[in-house]
Amino acid sequence: MRRLEGSNPSGGTAVVALEGFHAVKHALRFGADLVRVVAVDREAVARLASELAPDVAAELERVVEEVPAEEVARLATRPPHTGVVGIARRPGGEAVELARDRPVVLLEEPRDFGNVGACVRVAAAAGAAGVVVTGERDPWAPEALRGSAGLHFALPVLHGAPAALDGRPLLALDPAGEPLDVARLPDDAVLAFGTERRGLSDTLRERADAVLALPMRPGVSSLNLATSVSAVLFAWRLGRR
Ligand SMILES: C[S@@+](CC[C@H](N)C(=O)[O-])C[C@H]1O[C@@H](n2cnc3c(N)ncnc32)[C@H](O)[C@@H]1O
C-alpha cells in the first residue's frame, strides 16, 4: 500500500450533497461520514430501503429526518425524484491508502462532470485502487457525485497529485496506441486517460511506459472517456486470476 496525501482544495471539513436515494445508500454502505439525511417522506424512504437496500435500511431509518420539500430543494442542485438528500463530510486532508494490487485510474483534465462520475462509478464496480483527476475540474463537484451515484465513498477519489503515483507503471490509453494485451496489464498500473476532445497531452504520452489502445472496428475514431475506462478496467478484472 502506498501512502498519499488526499488533495482537497476546499479543505478537510468540506461537505458534499448526496442527491437521491442511491447516492445516500452507497454513501452509507461505504462508510461515509454523514452529517444529515433529509427526506420529504420518511416512510417512502423506508419502503425504498427495505426493497432496494435492506443492508442499510435500519441505519437509514435511524438518521433520516422528515423536512418540507423546500428544504430538500435548498440542499440539492437538482431536487431528486426520491425526495431524499444527504450531506456528508468529504474525505480528504488525511493520508489516503492506494492498494498496490489494483490499478489506479488517472483522468487527465476531464471536462465533463458526468463523465467523471461515470468513471468513479465503474472504477468502484471494477475494484480499482482509486481515481485521480488532474486539471481544474473538482471530481467531488455535485454533478460528478450524481454521476457516480455516491460511489465516491467506495474508493479514494483525489484531485491532482499525480507525482504521488510514481513507482507504478504508467500506461496511457489512446486509440492510436499498441493493442492492449490484458494478460500483460500489471495489477499496480496507473491507467491514464486523456481529455474528451483532445485526448492525452504530449507530456503524459512521453512520460508513459506504454501507450495502449482498445482495438476498434475501422472507421470508429474513439470511445467515450467513461466507456474506455470501463472497457479497460473490466478487461483487467475479467482477465485476473
Ligand atoms: C473521447 S477520447 C478522446 C478523443 C481524442 N480525439 C483522441 O483521439 O484521443 C477520451 C479518452 O478516452 C480514451 N480512449 C478512447 N477510445 C480509446 C481507444 N480505442 N483505445 C484506448 N483509449 C481510448 C483515451 O484515453 C482518450 O484520450
Side-chain angles (χ1 to χ4, degrees):
M1 298 275 236
R2 161 179 291 267
R3 291 189 80 72
L4 168 70
E5 275 308 304
S7 155
N8 176 357
S10 352
T13 56
V15 292
V16 292
L18 299 158
E19 302 180 3
F21 176 79
H22 293 287
V24 172
K25 168 195 78 178
H26 280 138
L28 268 175
R29 193 173 279 161
F30 290 103
D33 185 1
L34 283 166
V35 177
R36 202 175 171 207
V37 180
V38 298
V40 176
D41 182 344
R42 221 171 156 267
E43 293 217 337
V45 173
R47 275 196 302 278
L48 270 180
S50 70
E51 196 185 316
L52 303 173
D55 58 318
V56 295
E59 178 63 0
L60 190 52
E61 191 173 358
R62 196 181 65 75
V63 295
V64 72
E65 180 193 334
E66 194 164 281
V67 297
E70 301 76 57
E71 175 69 355
V72 171
R74 191 183 66 77
L75 293 171
T77 53
R78 198 174 65 194
H81 73 274
T82 49
V84 53
V85 172
I87 303 294
R89 286 196 181 81
R90 170 183 171 156
E94 74 280 13
V96 173
E97 302 273 335
L98 285 182
R100 292 290 314 200
D101 61 345
R102 312 158 214 190
V104 174
V105 173
L106 171 63
L107 304 178
E108 191 184 33
E109 301 189 15
R111 308 303 302 169
D112 185 293
F113 285 120
N115 258 336
V116 173
C119 291
V120 170
R121 187 173 185 165
V122 75
V131 177
V132 174
V133 175
T134 70
E136 61 190 36
R137 296 285 195 262
D138 180 358
W140 286 82
E143 303 94 313
L145 264 160
R146 230 181 6 242
S148 81
L151 282 163
H152 279 61
F153 292 93
L155 77 176
V157 177
L158 307 171
H159 191 195
L165 300 172
D166 288 351
R168 301 174 83 122
L170 176 62
L171 306 181
L173 278 297
D174 185 90
E178 295 292 314
L180 172 67
D181 176 356
V182 180
R184 296 178 58 197
L185 208 55
D187 284 341
D188 62 345
V190 175
L191 303 171
F193 297 82
T195 191
E196 289 90 339
R197 196 168 301 168
R198 286 178 288 105
L200 293 166
S201 68
D202 291 342
T203 314
L204 205 150
R205 216 182 278 272
E206 280 156 23
R207 275 187 47 216
D209 296 300
V211 181
L212 304 171
L214 289 157
M216 297 179 294
R217 178 181 172 179
V220 178
S221 312
S222 69
L223 296 168
N224 155 275
L225 171 59
T227 309
S228 58
V229 171
S230 175
V232 176
L233 283 181
F234 273 93
W236 163 76
R237 187 178 172 93
L238 295 170
R240 216 179 172 205
R241 279 194 302 140

